[in-house]
């Protein structure tokens, strides 16, 4: 398996501005202010504290990619995101080891349009993989 480096913890929130302010009150610093992802119809904000980065994700439309999830989980962490310099190898290794892709690699506006893909695993739930391959 190529090295997977943790990039962020994805956190579902209903009201992103309130959530951002609340994390700031806990000592997190906003790393990237709220950005609209028009592919997934969500608002996204990155905050950092200590060596951790949290990604706030909030539905911006009825048919956003997280509209179903937020009904189930409410305000809650829901994925860990990993970045890899060898995306094709990591993707192959994961999908051969019980991870099922739940979408296709798609640019993420909140991550300088790097490609990301979400995968699901029966034992640990959802992860996200960022393509940092230099090609
Ligand atoms: Ni994420």
């Amino acid at each position: 398996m190529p090295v997977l480096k943790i990039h962020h913890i994805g956190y579902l929130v209903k009201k992103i501005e309130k959530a951002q302010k609340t994390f700031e009150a806990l000592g997190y610093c906003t790393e990237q202010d709220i950005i609209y992802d028009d592919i997934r119809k969500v608002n996204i904000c990155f905050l950092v504290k200590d060596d951790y980065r949290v990604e706030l994700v909030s539905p911006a439309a009825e048919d956003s990619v997280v509209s179903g999830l937020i009904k189930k989980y409410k305000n809650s962490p829901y994925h860990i995101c990993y970045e890899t310099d060898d995306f094709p190898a990591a993707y192959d290794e994961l999908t051969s080891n019980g991870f099922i892709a739940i979408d296709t690699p798609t640019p993420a506006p909140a991550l300088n349009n790097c490609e990301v893909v979400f995968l699901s695993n029966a034992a640990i739930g959802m992860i996200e993989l960022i393509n940092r391959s230099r090609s």
Side-chain angles (χ1 to χ4, degrees):
M1 173 79 78
V3 174
L4 301 179
K5 191 165 167 275
I6 293 177
H7 183 268
H8 65 257
I9 296 163
Y11 210 111
L12 280 173
V13 295
K14 291 181 184 170
K15 296 182 177 168
I16 196 163
E17 278 146 15
K18 264 193 177 171
Q20 181 184 14
K21 284 192 173 66
T22 304
F23 272 108
E24 284 174 347
L26 288 171
Y28 289 72
C29 295
T30 294
E31 180 186 45
Q32 181 175 281
D33 213 340
I34 301 166
I35 282 183
Y36 177 59
D37 178 332
D38 58 339
I39 298 168
R40 298 169 185 81
K41 299 186 186 174
V42 294
N43 285 309
I44 289 179
C45 168
F46 285 106
L47 300 110
V48 291
K49 177 172 169 54
D50 307 328
D51 288 329
Y52 295 89
R53 181 183 292 108
V54 169
E55 173 195 47
L56 304 182
V57 181
S58 185
E62 290 286 328
D63 58 343
S64 84
V65 291
V66 297
S67 294
L69 288 175
I70 204 156
K71 284 187 189 121
K72 190 170 170 189
Y73 296 116
K74 310 214 188 305
N75 299 309
S76 170
Y78 74 114
H79 70 265
I80 297 177
C81 177
Y82 302 88
E83 52 189 345
T84 174
D85 288 336
D86 191 347
F87 186 82
Y91 185 87
D92 285 351
E93 188 88 9
L94 288 166
T95 53
S96 320
N97 283 287
F99 286 83
I100 297 162
I102 55 180
D103 59 6
T104 52
T106 309
L111 291 166
N112 295 319
N113 288 318
C114 276
E115 273 185 342
V116 305
V117 67
F118 283 86
L119 303 109
S120 179
N121 174 282
I124 67 164
M126 193 153 67
I127 69 165
E128 180 181 14
L129 188 64
I130 305 178
N131 183 355
R132 298 288 192 197
S133 304
R134 266 158 229 157
S135 53

